Amino acid sequence: MPSRGLDREAWVRLAVDILAEEGLAGLRVEAMAKRLGVTKGSFYWHFKDRQALLDAVLEEWRAGRIQDCQRQAEVSPDRAAEQLRHVMDAYAINPNRKGVMIELAVRDWARRDKAAAAAVEEVDEARRTNATRLFLAAGFSQDQAEMRALLLYTHAFGLSMMVFERQVDAVARLHAAITTLIAGSPQS
Amino acid sequence: MPSRGLDREAWVRLAVDILAEEGLAGLRVEAMAKRLGVTKGSFYWHFKDRQALLDAVLEEWRAGRIQDCQRQAEVSPDRAAEQLRHVMDAYAINPNRKGVMIELAVRDWARRDKAAAAAVEEVDEARRTNATRLFLAAGFSQDQAEMRALLLYTHAFGLSMMVFERQVDAVARLHAAITTLIAGSPQS
DNA sequence: ACCTGAACACCGTTCAAGT
DNA sequence: ACCTGAACACCGTTCAAGT
């Protein structure tokens, strides 16, 4: 559709893809302009500077992650236990490369940038609230639900950051046991 | 001491500090040369290119983290339970900014670089083995020890990546409960 | 409204030349 | 052995000028 006249969105979409493939260092105005078939001067019509593009990418990420949480919240209120396992596996065992790359880049960035830190905090809170809701629906007490939700999230996230090429099977087995420990039985 | 004649080490030491403060993007040859009071041409006497410096920083990180694990392994074999709690708090609640920044940068990098991925894998394995040893000493079975060691590590790591400025106290309380769940009682 | 083209500063890299 | 100085390419940024 961008036959003539690019918009901000085209730049942001490309930036998100590049961020996932090459990391922050890949977000170069000139290289992106070449890929879009325009001169880099064009970039500065849509954005104040490179930082403005980064801010737009950040906002895209924030809004998308919040939306993901809301979509999950619409799933059937019964079968909460099943969905807990599903959420754990989705994040921990089969994290999509693209998502993980962007999480890494955004969190790295959040260490130096107030706005990025605020976005990360908002997303972390939404995910935690979402998981807490699932544990409550599965019959856990408020305290237990909050505790297990945090643990589910930190574990899934931590695991997705790690490299276990030589031990994928062993780690998958341990992850299954961990899922049972965390999502196990309401009476514990 | 570097009154005349810098060595590789001086560049690597500076690079590690900058990596922690500013991230990968801060590792610019010219900026570092200015900080060391030499021209950037000097850099290329010690290193083939910028990538060679990154490789040296990576190796410094790898060796240091492995050494940390070995130091912990020398602590008194009794009191394993206490030390488990200590390890968890050290990593999860009071992660030093510098360490976390470097972990983030290295793992981001490992997504695109085979050597970085290998270093990360080695460090992950050493830490996991270390934690497993502690759980075994605390009386857990082999399976339980491996499972809890992984969980301790993923949780601590995941938590250190998150932003909870508005809820530090609540999260600290949840972390205490999690510590009990993970390091709790051998019979469970 | 959207883009080009040229200019400038900064930085990675090379290398001949200095001490 | 270690460094300088100059050169070149690449890229972020600006801006007057084009359509």
Side-chain angles (χ1 to χ4, degrees):
Chain A
M1 326 110 171
S3 60
R4 99 183 55 150
L6 289 173
D7 45 358
R8 265 180 86 96
E9 299 264 328
W11 287 93
V12 174
R13 272 195 306 271
L14 177 60
V16 170
D17 288 347
I18 293 181
L19 186 61
E21 291 162 21
E22 305 172 38
L24 258 181
L27 292 185
R28 283 161 300 156
V29 174
E30 189 165 45
M32 293 178 66
K34 193 171 289 178
R35 243 165 105 159
L36 287 172
V38 291
T39 63
K40 54 190 174 175
S42 154
F43 173 84
Y44 290 92
W45 170 259
H46 298 286
F47 299 91
K48 179 178 164 292
D49 53 19
R50 185 171 172 271
Q51 184 59 47
L53 173 68
L54 298 186
D55 291 342
V57 169
L58 179 69
E59 172 52 23
E60 181 87 357
W61 174 79
R62 189 199 62 79
R65 300 297 73 69
I66 299 286
Q67 216 176 3
D68 283 355
C69 285
Q70 287 166 347
R71 241 190 304 257
Q72 282 185 1
E74 288 166 8
V75 181
S76 57
D78 27 274
R79 313 212 292 175
E82 286 170 52
Q83 213 200 331
L84 275 174
R85 282 176 176 73
H86 175 257
V87 168
M88 281 201 75
D89 291 350
Y91 281 101
I93 291 293
N94 304 313
N96 69 68
R97 255 188 76 78
K98 185 172 178 176
V100 172
M101 281 288 325
I102 296 178
E103 291 274 345
L104 269 167
V106 166
R107 278 156 210 277
D108 188 21
W109 182 5
R111 307 252 143 215
R112 261 161 273 108
D113 185 298
K114 285 256 168 194
V120 167
E121 182 163 14
E122 198 180 331
V123 168
D124 283 347
E125 198 173 327
R127 285 173 176 167
R128 215 147 58 80
T129 303
N130 193 47
T132 302
R133 192 184 46 72
L134 282 176
F135 279 104
L136 285 172
F140 289 92
S141 70
Q142 180 73 30
D143 278 2
Q144 282 284 316
E146 286 182 13
M147 186 267 274
R148 285 161 193 264
L150 176 60
L151 182 55
L152 180 153
Y153 185 27
T154 55
H155 166 67
F157 199 93
L159 195 61
S160 75
M161 299 279 123
M162 297 188 185
V163 179
F164 294 124
E165 293 226 343
R166 290 187 302 211
Q167 318 205 33
V168 244
D169 292 344
V171 168
R173 187 173 47 76
L174 295 174
H175 173 70
I178 287 170
T179 302
T180 300
L181 177 66
I182 298 181
S185 48
Q187 62 270 23
S188 69
Chain B
M1 329 116 169
S3 60
R4 96 183 58 150
L6 289 173
D7 46 357
R8 264 179 89 95
E9 299 263 328
W11 288 93
V12 175
R13 273 194 305 271
L14 177 61
V16 170
D17 287 348
I18 293 180
L19 185 62
E21 291 161 21
E22 304 172 38
L24 259 182
L27 292 187
R28 283 161 299 156
V29 173
E30 188 165 46
M32 294 179 66
K34 194 172 286 179
R35 243 166 104 159
L36 288 172
V38 291
T39 64
K40 54 190 174 174
S42 153
F43 173 84
Y44 290 91
W45 170 258
H46 298 287
F47 299 91
K48 178 178 167 294
D49 52 18
R50 184 171 172 272
Q51 184 59 48
L53 174 68
L54 299 186
D55 291 343
V57 168
L58 179 69
E59 171 53 23
E60 180 88 359
W61 174 79
R62 191 199 61 79
R65 300 298 71 71
I66 299 286
Q67 215 175 4
D68 283 356
C69 286
Q70 288 165 347
R71 241 192 303 260
Q72 283 185 0
E74 289 167 6
V75 181
S76 56
D78 27 274
R79 314 212 290 177
E82 285 171 51
Q83 214 200 330
L84 275 174
R85 283 176 175 73
H86 175 256
V87 168
M88 282 202 74
D89 292 350
Y91 281 101
I93 292 292
N94 305 310
N96 69 69
R97 256 187 75 79
K98 185 171 178 176
V100 172
M101 283 286 327
I102 296 178
E103 291 274 345
L104 269 166
V106 166
R107 276 157 210 279
D108 189 21
W109 182 6
R111 305 253 145 214
R112 261 162 273 106
D113 186 297
K114 284 257 171 194
V120 166
E121 182 164 14
E122 198 179 332
V123 167
D124 282 347
E125 200 175 326
R127 284 172 175 167
R128 216 148 58 79
T129 303
N130 193 46
T132 302
R133 194 184 46 71
L134 283 175
F135 279 105
L136 285 172
F140 289 92
S141 71
Q142 180 71 29
D143 278 2
Q144 282 285 315
E146 285 181 15
M147 185 266 274
R148 285 162 194 264
L150 176 59
L151 183 54
L152 180 153
Y153 185 27
T154 54
H155 166 66
F157 199 93
L159 195 61
S160 74
M161 299 280 123
M162 299 188 182
V163 179
F164 293 124
E165 292 226 344
R166 289 187 303 212
Q167 316 205 35
V168 244
D169 292 346
V171 169
R173 187 173 47 75
L174 294 173
H175 172 70
I178 288 170
T179 301
T180 300
L181 177 66
I182 298 180
S185 47
Q187 64 269 22
S188 72

